[in-house]
Amino acid sequence: MEMARSSVPLIAVLCVSLLPLAAMATGTPFHIEGCVYCDTCRFGFETIATKYIIGARVRIVCKDRVTLKKDVVGEAVTGRGGVYKVAVKGDRQDQQCFAELVDSPLRKCQVADPGRSTATVILTRSNGAASTRHFANAMGFFRDKPLRGCAALRRYYLADGDSRAI
């Protein structure tokens, strides 16, 4: 009887300490954050000439690994600095999820960069990450024609000075 009494506080402490984890697993949404830019030099990466887009539309899509069925689980529009934020409810377990570009409001920057048009996002609590805030890689659109000065900028970014790469 005395053994049972001494283990009651231990059990109570364990139950109370597990409550936040149980609450987190069920109702707390994931918060995805990323940004969208216009690649003004068509380099395929962000530079000092990059312009961040206000008003670009982005969606979060998850694909079932077995059926390959895609579901849109969130959508957003970029604000200041080209930043978007999306709250996604529910744990996506073993699904492949990604942010993808929908469209750009800039007339001269409409074509999505094929190498930067999506960004993988993790929407599960089964991976050891404690935070519900996740960051997606930046995604970009190509400008129709590169700005003047992009050739000089390319030389600036060449680490070994190899101008033959231009």
Side-chain angles (χ1 to χ4, degrees), residues 155 158 160-166:
R155 280 191 292 279
L158 289 173
D160 58 5
D162 187 1
S163 60
R164 292 175 295 163
I166 297 176

Side-chain angles (χ1 to χ4, degrees):
M1 181 75 164
E2 196 168 308
M3 175 87 158
R5 267 194 219 150
S6 65
S7 62
V8 169
L10 177 63
I11 293 171
V13 167
L14 284 173
C15 289
V16 170
S17 64
L18 291 176
L19 278 174
L21 291 175
M24 188 182 212
T26 56
T28 306
F30 291 99
H31 298 279
I32 308 302
E33 187 174 323
C35 69
V36 177
Y37 64 90
C38 179
D39 185 350
T40 56
C41 288
R42 301 181 61 91
F43 287 170
F45 55 88
E46 294 167 90
T47 68
I48 57 175
T50 295
K51 301 294 180 206
Y52 293 91
I53 302 173
I54 296 172
R57 291 189 319 131
V58 174
R59 65 179 159 222
I60 307 295
V61 178
C62 292
K63 181 171 69 172
D64 187 279
R65 291 179 189 266
V66 177
T67 66
L68 302 181
K69 181 180 178 252
K70 290 183 180 182
D71 287 323
V72 175
V73 297
E75 296 183 81
V77 176
T78 58
R80 194 166 136 180
V83 174
Y84 65 90
K85 295 178 181 181
V86 183
V88 178
K89 292 182 181 177
D91 193 304
R92 297 292 154 177
Q93 299 291 325
D94 197 31
Q95 294 181 351
Q96 294 174 313
C97 299
F98 49 92
E100 70 178 13
L101 296 173
V102 177
D103 61 33
S104 167
L106 302 180
R107 190 174 43 87
K108 292 184 177 181
C109 202
Q110 292 282 314
V111 178
D113 175 352
R116 301 291 296 271
S117 62
T118 64
T120 299
V121 293
I122 306 299
L123 297 177
T124 185
R125 291 177 176 82
S126 302
N127 64 352
S131 177
T132 58
R133 189 173 180 199
H134 296 233
F135 294 92
N137 287 339
M139 298 182 291
F141 289 95
F142 281 138
R143 189 172 193 279
D144 293 348
K145 293 181 182 173
L147 295 175
R148 271 186 263 160
C150 287
L153 189 60
R154 184 176 294 266
R155 280 191 292 279
Y156 171 79
Y157 281 108
L158 289 173
D160 58 5
D162 187 1
S163 60
R164 292 175 295 163
I166 297 176

